[in-house]
Amino acid sequence: MSAETPAASGQFDRRRVQFRAWRGTRPFWAGLFVLLGGLPIAYFPYAHLQVGHLTLAMATTAGAGSLIIGVLLVVLGISLWFQKHVRVFAGTAAILLALVSIPVSNLGGFLIGFLLALVGGAMAISWSPGAPPAPEGPGSVHTAGGAPEGAIPPAGPGVPPAAPYDAPQQQPPAVDFGKPAHDDAGPTQAHPALGAHDLSGTSPANGANGRHSAG
């Protein structure tokens, strides 16, 4: 006995996922029931049952009709797999053929094929394709936890919620330099009084009027 290689296991999983996706886009189980319902209907009229040395033949005068009904049910089951747009027609035809097989083919293959075809036809009529998944937009990037990128995770018990990342930051108050900023207390720091840093000697406060005295 040889151990299964990881490559073979990965290929089997990939095939299984592909088959599951293929099965979900069509009435798979309805087609399977209709196909299986045609087998006993077509088989029993031509079967011979051995009971000791006695051979019991279940063939009837409508053996050809039983074969036709069984083959049609098999074809309808395969059509439901590969032509899903005919599901309503195929389901209705399967139900009618199942009803006809009761008087024609040994009570519809001893009620086995009749019940399988009847249930499969009803499932085919009621089946409808699912809605396709909605495409995600370019901005809907999800993180590992499933939340959108940039979202704040919920805080635990006793922990205050954190601020969002995109919260606007408070800006410092703007200073209008075109308006004189002074009050009754005196010159402000933004606009110093004239002459506080005047080094040219031209301030009207010194009375020199820009000229130094000789002595």
Side-chain angles (χ1 to χ4, degrees), residues 8-180:
S9 178
Q11 184 178 5
F12 173 75
D13 294 339
R14 184 171 61 255
R15 295 295 183 183
R16 182 170 58 87
V17 171
Q18 292 176 355
F19 173 72
R20 182 182 299 176
W22 176 83
R23 184 187 66 188
T25 58
R26 62 202 70 242
F28 174 80
W29 295 109
L32 181 62
F33 284 175
V34 172
L35 188 149
L36 294 179
L39 297 180
I41 292 177
Y43 171 76
F44 284 131
Y46 297 94
H48 297 279
L49 180 61
Q50 291 292 129
V51 181
H53 297 283
L54 179 63
T55 300
L56 180 61
M58 293 180 291
T60 60
T61 57
S66 301
L67 180 62
I68 292 175
I69 292 175
V71 171
L72 287 177
L73 288 175
V74 171
V75 172
L76 289 174
I78 297 176
S79 300
L80 287 172
W81 287 350
F82 299 99
Q83 300 291 333
K84 59 183 178 180
H85 58 276
V86 300
R87 61 186 183 276
V88 177
F89 167 76
T92 305
I95 293 176
L96 293 178
L97 289 175
L99 294 175
V100 173
S101 67
I102 293 179
V104 173
S105 178
N106 296 329
L107 295 177
F110 296 107
L111 297 180
I112 299 175
F114 165 73
L115 293 177
L116 288 174
L118 188 66
V119 173
M123 292 176 62
I125 295 175
S126 61
W127 184 87
S128 61
E136 296 183 356
S140 59
V141 180
H142 296 277
T143 58
E149 186 178 5
I152 302 300
V159 179
Y165 295 134
D166 55 351
Q169 299 180 357
Q170 295 183 357
Q171 300 294 334
V175 179
D176 190 1
F177 293 98
K179 182 179 180 181

Side-chain angles (χ1 to χ4, degrees), residues 180-197:
H182 59 81
D183 51 6
D184 298 338
T188 59
Q189 186 177 0
H191 297 277
L194 296 176
H197 300 284

